[in-house]
Amino acid sequence: PISLALESRFSSELSVVRSQYKSLPVQFTEEPCILHWEEAIQMLRDAGEEAELLEDLSSSLELKLGELVKNKFDTDFFILDRFPAAVRPFYTMPCPDDERFTNSYDVFLRGQEICSGAQRVHDPALLISQVEKKGMPLEPLQAYVTSFQHGVSPHAGAGIGLERVVFLYLGLDNVRKASMFPRDPSRCSP
């Protein structure tokens, strides 16, 4: 795994960072640790947390889930899939077995999201239906929908936050320390 390579190849650099920011090496499972949404909600409920099946997780619930996953599966890295349709964009493909959920996922490291992705709707009729279900006006999206009428293959996408990966992997106390040029509301230039 990549983490073992990082730990051995860059052991002296990691040692310097860890002398200032205490953290342990990231633990991974041999096979990917994948939790379905329903299982994650049950884990949180079993731990005494108030977690709604069809609502998004707060940051504190994500951290708690990361703690529970660490205790149960001995890993800092996991994938949570089947997010509720209510918390995903209209273009996210519904699950074929239960339209309340979607073919989408987040990847977590130490209880925080580092990547989000999903299969996207490629069928124009389903896309229109999804827009209507969300109560959105179709007119501003018409060009988008029309482009799918010319034929689009099934597809998916994901976005990863590399600065978040570095921040969480190293156990830094602020994500800005993992960015060469951090931005915030009061800082727009280096």
Side-chain angles (χ1 to χ4, degrees):
I2 191 169
S3 67
L4 294 177
L6 286 172
E7 292 296 328
S8 62
R9 187 171 176 192
F10 299 102
S11 61
S12 62
E13 291 88 346
L14 289 169
S15 176
V16 170
V17 172
R18 289 183 175 136
S19 71
Q20 291 183 348
Y21 302 98
K22 304 297 180 208
S23 71
L24 297 171
V26 173
Q27 288 187 260
F28 291 87
T29 51
E30 198 65 35
E31 295 294 318
C33 179
I34 301 172
L35 292 177
H36 298 309
W37 184 265
E38 302 91 332
E39 180 184 1
I41 294 300
Q42 192 59 55
M43 286 174 67
L44 288 164
R45 288 175 176 172
D46 290 348
E49 300 291 333
E50 290 185 27
E52 296 299 323
L53 183 63
L54 300 177
E55 292 180 11
D56 207 356
L57 297 178
S58 65
S59 296
S60 61
L61 285 176
E62 287 179 352
L63 286 169
K64 182 64 176 181
L65 182 61
E67 178 186 314
L68 296 170
V69 168
K70 174 78 172 189
N71 291 337
K72 183 173 182 176
F73 300 106
D74 199 30
T75 186
D76 294 306
F77 183 86
F78 67 97
I79 300 165
L80 177 59
D81 73 352
R82 294 177 57 95
F83 274 75
V87 302
R88 290 298 193 181
F90 71 92
Y91 52 79
T92 306
M93 183 66 80
C95 282
D97 65 323
D98 189 338
E99 288 191 357
R100 298 176 305 160
F101 300 98
T102 60
N103 289 352
S104 63
Y105 62 89
D106 281 358
V107 179
F108 288 84
L109 181 61
R110 300 190 198 257
Q112 295 189 51
E113 174 198 333
I114 58 169
C115 178
S116 188
Q119 179 184 6
R120 300 200 175 112
V121 174
H122 58 277
D123 175 82
L126 180 56
L127 196 55
I128 291 169
S129 171
Q130 292 296 100
V131 169
E132 290 170 352
K133 283 180 185 175
K134 293 276 188 182
M136 300 169 61
L138 185 57
E139 185 181 345
L141 301 168
Q142 193 57 58
Y144 180 77
V145 172
T146 299
S147 68
F148 285 79
Q149 293 170 340
H150 302 290
V152 175
S153 300
H155 63 288
I160 188 166
L162 290 178
E163 291 165 341
R164 289 181 63 82
V165 173
V166 172
F167 154 68
L168 293 165
Y169 190 93
L170 296 176
L172 303 177
D173 61 350
N174 191 307
V175 70
R176 290 186 200 102
K177 292 179 179 172
S179 174
M180 185 171 289
F181 302 109
R183 303 286 185 262
D184 62 34
S186 62
R187 181 180 172 166
C188 292
S189 64

